[in-house]
């Protein structure tokens, strides 16, 4: 079918229709930035042709050169047949207006915490200029560390990950934004290499997929580093360590913000006496929690 398309399709409109049909027929999953086959097809076509990503309409009836058509069809074919996330094909992902380099060494950025950082964590942080130190735990591509730097201009930021491969990608993004002097990349298994360091703010989008959900993941997610997704039988292996150790790394008035996916009920059952504050994001109030240092489990024992 793709060979026939090379000789029959002429315009971007033709290719867009063809791509949407192929994506729907392949039963693709759209959880890495696009919401539908149409949105993903439009993005891949515009990116491959080096056109503005927000301007499809003016180019719909533009005829493609043979070499352009070949490139676009190869991208569409790989997405449809190999089920590779679009971000790995284009080597980029977006959180709002911020673009990040990504490849298979990191999961595709998609944290709800990014929404909260756009508002500088208001109303929970009243004076963004008074956040002087922050930690992005499990930084992956470095995206949240970079957003922290944008939100809190006076903060020096540590960004940790257990994966040296991920830190290489994070380094590329940190350099792209010129933040080498403000963001320190550290290889660490959660807090293991952070002895003596304290922060006004810790954010984390750790692994949180439970064993049952891991077994049922769409194929697109299997292209991502599994260690950045899986977190034990209940999905809370990493989060439990974070809750255990975070108070040792927060200033007296420090704050912890963690994303946990669909695990709210399981988490609250495991920590019935912990007063989690669930933050409002676009998907609802069950995916990201906030705790102050004195609310953390075991704080009194410190």
């Amino acid at each position: 079918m793709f060979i026939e398309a090379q000789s029959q399709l002429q315009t971007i409109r033709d290719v867009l229709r063809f791509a949407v049909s192929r994506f729907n027929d392949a039963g693709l999953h759209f959880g890495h930035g696009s919401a539908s086959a149409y949105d993903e097809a439009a993005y891949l076509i515009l990116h491959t042709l080096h056109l503005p990503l927000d301007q499809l309409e003016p180019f719909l009836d533009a005829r493609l050169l043979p070499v352009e058509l070949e490139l676009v069809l190869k991208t569409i074919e790989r997405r449809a047949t190999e089920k590779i996330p679009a971000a790995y094909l284009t080597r980029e992902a977006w959180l709002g207006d911020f673009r990040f380099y990504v490849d298979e060494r990191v999961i595709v950025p998609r944290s709800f915490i990014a929404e909260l950082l756009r508002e500088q964590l208001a109303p929970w942080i009243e004076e963004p200029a008074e956040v002087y130190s922050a930690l992005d735990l499990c930084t992956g591509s470095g995206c949240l560390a970079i957003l922290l730097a944008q939100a809190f201009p006076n903060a020096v930021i540590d960004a940790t990950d257990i994966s040296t491969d991920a830190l290489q990608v994070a380094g590329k993004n940190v350099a792209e934004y010129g933040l080498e002097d403000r963001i320190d990349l550290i290889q660490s298994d959660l807090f293991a290499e952070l002895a003596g360091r304290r922060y006004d703010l810790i954010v984390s989008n750790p692994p949180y997929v439970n064993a049952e959900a891991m077994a049922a993941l769409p194929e697109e997610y299997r292209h991502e580093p599994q260690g950045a997704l899986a977190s034990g039988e209940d999905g809370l292996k990493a989060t439990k360590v974070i809750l255990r150790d975070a108070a040792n790394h927060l200033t007296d008035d420090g704050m912890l913000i963690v994303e946990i996916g669909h695990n709210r009920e399981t988490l609250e059952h495991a920590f019935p006496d912990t007063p989690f504050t669930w933050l409002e994001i676009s998907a609802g109030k069950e995916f990201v929690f906030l705790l102050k240092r004195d609310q953390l489990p075991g704080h009194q024992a410190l």
Side-chain angles (χ1 to χ4, degrees):
M1 186 176 291
F2 283 90
I3 294 175
E4 185 179 3
Q6 180 76 43
S7 63
Q8 296 297 319
L9 304 182
Q10 296 183 338
T11 68
I12 289 178
R13 190 186 301 274
D14 293 339
V15 176
L16 179 64
R17 196 285 307 162
F18 177 79
V20 172
S21 295
R22 299 289 70 72
F23 292 173
N24 285 333
D25 182 57
L28 300 186
H29 181 84
F30 305 103
H32 292 94
S34 299
S36 68
Y38 177 89
D39 290 344
E40 189 136 304
Y43 164 68
L44 287 172
I45 292 167
L46 291 168
H47 182 277
T48 303
L49 295 174
H50 306 289
L51 293 172
L53 298 180
D54 59 350
Q55 296 183 35
L56 175 63
E57 187 68 30
F59 304 105
L60 277 172
D61 295 312
R63 291 167 63 97
L64 298 178
L65 295 171
V67 66
E68 292 178 319
L69 181 58
E70 181 180 3
L71 286 173
V72 171
L73 289 176
K74 281 184 177 179
T75 300
I76 293 169
E77 183 175 16
R78 293 198 70 196
R79 180 68 184 97
T81 60
E82 299 178 49
K83 297 190 176 180
I84 299 171
Y88 291 155
L89 294 172
T90 63
R91 293 294 191 248
E92 70 174 18
W94 293 80
L95 288 176
D97 295 330
F98 291 85
R99 176 191 177 277
F100 301 99
Y101 172 85
V102 296
D103 60 32
E104 289 83 353
R105 291 174 289 179
V106 296
I107 63 171
V108 178
R110 50 184 179 273
S111 176
F112 290 126
I113 295 174
E115 298 180 24
L116 301 167
L117 292 178
R118 289 182 208 135
E119 306 299 324
Q120 298 174 295
L121 294 175
W124 306 104
I125 291 181
E126 296 181 358
E127 297 293 340
E130 294 180 6
V131 175
Y132 299 111
S133 59
L135 168 65
D136 175 17
L137 199 66
C138 308
T139 193
S141 63
C143 57
L144 292 184
I146 290 166
L147 295 183
L148 281 167
Q150 302 292 334
F152 305 109
N154 293 328
V156 175
I157 296 152
D158 286 344
T160 70
D161 205 284
I162 193 172
S163 167
T164 55
D165 285 343
L167 291 173
Q168 290 173 359
V169 175
K172 184 177 180 70
N173 284 315
V174 168
E176 183 70 23
Y177 281 92
L179 291 169
E180 299 97 322
D181 293 338
R182 292 186 56 203
I183 297 177
D184 187 16
L185 299 172
I186 303 168
Q187 184 184 13
S188 180
D189 184 357
L190 298 176
F191 294 106
E193 304 302 322
L194 300 179
R197 300 193 187 211
R198 288 180 175 258
Y199 307 92
D200 298 323
L201 173 64
I202 298 173
V203 303
S204 185
N205 181 21
Y208 56 66
V209 183
N210 65 37
E212 182 180 1
M214 282 297 298
L217 281 178
E219 192 170 338
E220 281 84 351
Y221 291 96
R222 302 192 181 281
H223 290 275
E224 296 185 295
Q226 299 301 284
L229 298 173
S231 195
E233 188 67 27
D234 63 359
L236 295 177
K237 182 178 179 181
T239 301
K240 289 174 180 176
V241 176
I242 293 171
L243 289 173
R244 183 193 71 195
D245 296 343
N248 292 318
H249 298 279
L250 285 168
T251 56
D252 289 343
D253 296 321
M255 185 181 302
L256 170 71
I257 293 175
V258 180
E259 182 170 338
I260 60 155
H262 294 275
N263 294 326
R264 175 174 175 171
E265 183 177 348
T266 305
L267 181 68
E268 290 181 328
H269 180 76
F271 296 89
D273 299 322
T274 300
F276 297 101
T277 296
W278 295 94
L279 303 184
E280 184 78 46
I281 46 94
S282 60
K285 292 182 68 174
E286 58 184 87
F287 301 101
V288 181
F289 70 76
L290 177 152
L291 289 169
K292 296 181 180 179
R293 183 174 185 268
D294 61 7
Q295 297 173 320
L296 283 159
H299 162 71
Q300 292 78 9
L302 296 175

